[in-house]
Amino acid sequence: VRNRILRNAIYSNGLGLDGGLGIDLEPSGVTANDFCDVDTGANNLQNFPVITSVTPAKGGGITVSGHVSGPLANYRIEFFNNQDCDPSGNGEGEQFLGSATTTTPILLCHAPFSATLSGIQKGKVKFITATATDPDGNTSEFSQCFEVH
């Protein structure tokens, strides 16, 4: 637990026992999110963010929106661009794009986020992924790939 994985380039991992995921918490392969993130294990099986949209931002850049589920506050969400999506459907982190912090209402265990990443052109990103890191330093696996059109 408390393995903080921040601002790294993790990609092109091939196909190993874990399916080649960039970050793989136990058990091997993509670990499904659970409501309110009440399970335990490697990095407390921190839930990964769910990206729901990527849109052009006013004044340039892109806005990435989605949500993360968990019982704590102030999750750090990091965003990455990838040229390809992992065969699992979840991504890796080829190019760090930026980060945002969200607060989860304790009773709801669900926090939306909307982060504007300036200086990034929508046409220059192909697949966006994200990770979530809780205040204790537990980083999730990479999110599902969100293809940008």
Side-chain angles (χ1 to χ4, degrees), residues 14-145:
L15 295 175
L17 294 175
D18 62 357
L21 296 177
I23 300 172
D24 191 13
L25 305 178
E26 296 175 15
S28 188
V30 175
T31 304
N33 283 345
D34 59 319
F35 179 73
C36 208
D37 202 20
V38 295
D39 48 7
T40 60
N43 265 9
N44 288 328
L45 299 179
Q46 173 61 51
N47 283 342
F48 53 79
V50 175
I51 299 170
T52 56
S53 70
V54 176
T55 57
K58 282 188 176 181
I62 59 173
T63 298
V64 182
S65 299
H67 62 272
V68 65
S69 175
L72 301 174
N74 302 321
Y75 290 90
R76 178 184 171 97
I77 311 296
E78 291 198 338
F79 304 97
F80 299 86
N81 180 32
N82 298 276
Q83 291 305 304
D84 298 302
C85 183
D86 188 86
S88 68
N90 282 41
E92 298 185 352
E94 189 170 343
Q95 176 190 16
F96 176 74
L97 296 175
S99 65
T101 301
T102 186
T103 301
T104 304
I106 298 300
L107 297 177
L108 299 179
C109 291
H110 180 86
F113 60 81
S114 183
T116 299
L117 307 173
S118 59
I120 298 165
Q121 296 174 350
K122 187 175 176 187
K124 301 287 183 181
V125 293
K126 190 167 182 182
F127 292 100
I128 299 274
T129 57
T131 59
T133 302
D134 73 15
D136 293 330
N138 296 296
T139 298
S140 70
E141 294 177 349
F142 287 100
S143 70
Q144 294 175 332
C145 298

